[in-house]
Amino acid sequence: MKRRPTIPDLAKLAGVSVSTVNRIINQTGSVRQPTRERVLRTAEEIGFYGLGTIEHSVRKGRESHRLGVLLQQGGRTFYRNLGEALANEARRYPDGQIDLALEYLDDLSPDKVAARLIALGDTCESVALVAAQHPVVADAIDSVIARGIPVAGLIAPLSARGNVSFVGLDNWKVGRTAAWAFDRIVRVPGKIGILVGNHRYRNQEMNESGFRSYFREHNSAFTLLEPLATYESAAAARELVETLLAEHSDLCGLFVSGGGITGALAALRSAPKRKDFVAVGYELFDATRAALIDGTLTMVISHPMETFAREAIAAMIRAKRSGPEGGAQRVALGFDIYTSENV
């Protein structure tokens, strides 16, 4: 009697490991679609007993997704890096084919953001964007959702009448972690300047809220200045920091919670060095890495880029599969912390 082919037989003939065959059969872990297809062809040739299960796994992998992502200003390093991470994740997504429509928007006015969001909703099955909260944007989100296209806010939470998903950091914890650094490092409490990109970015508002809550709870000796908006401009950030340094001789630190950090760094570098001055920034890229190394920045809190891209793609696909009644997908990521000692 002819012996029935086993999993080790299938793995050997298909040129893969036994664990790969098991992942395909059990639909656990990541296996690239070409590998799934090769295992299926081999299973058909040898009459493998689990052919039906493998066929199901391969059919799932053949699923296609048209996803749209709207990011801000392609000239900014952070968004270029994020776009590259999203594109890489879409290419290597193991359970289907992803057609990613990735756009950068230089004009961040609410009307422009709303128009591009609606345009992406016309051609995509699931859409995500980085945007400031605004009634015009919220209305566009509802317009897209009404057509059955799920929408997710990336980095900054967004709200509308419909269910809006979110993938980003726990910004309350981001703010409290930044405050912890000042509390533990600054020897003589003084004034702390705060920069935000725009008061309508809800993540930055939550950063500030967590920041202030920590000091209310643990150390009221610090004076937290009113947050200043850079409107994502390096030139504006430089001017604001220069003014803070000139007007507040007892400024002991700076928390850069939003855009324009390269301008803030330029201002700090051009000023006389202050012994016991602490600066905490947001996002690790070449400029902030260099600032950590030369001591201009004390600490950087950053999105884990690859994890963020992977979770964003997965959340958009889950939202597409679950449909309009499936509810919002919410993914709160852990964040990376960098100092001069671990960059």
Side-chain angles (χ1 to χ4, degrees), residues 307-343:
T307 301
F308 180 72
R310 182 171 63 253
E311 293 293 343
I313 294 290
M316 293 173 72
I317 291 173
R318 285 197 303 271
K320 169 199 163 183
R321 287 173 174 162
S322 62
E325 305 304 319
Q329 304 289 321
R330 299 195 65 82
V331 182
L333 304 171
F335 46 85
D336 295 332
I337 297 176
Y338 295 97
T339 70
S340 60
E341 299 302 316
N342 71 329
V343 290

Side-chain angles (χ1 to χ4, degrees), residues 129-200:
L129 74 160
V130 181
Q133 185 70 44
H134 192 278
V136 172
V137 176
D139 189 58
I141 290 172
D142 282 324
S143 175
V144 173
I145 292 175
R147 302 202 306 271
I149 308 300
V151 177
L154 301 181
I155 300 174
L158 293 166
S159 62
R161 290 190 301 275
N163 290 322
V164 186
S165 298
F166 170 66
V167 182
L169 305 183
D170 183 330
N171 296 106
W172 175 267
K173 290 183 179 179
V174 168
R176 289 183 66 90
T177 300
W180 174 90
F182 287 96
D183 184 31
R184 297 305 178 94
I185 299 172
V186 175
R187 294 181 180 87
V188 180
K191 296 175 182 176
I192 300 176
I194 304 171
L195 296 188
V196 297
N198 186 321
H199 292 291
R200 285 187 177 270

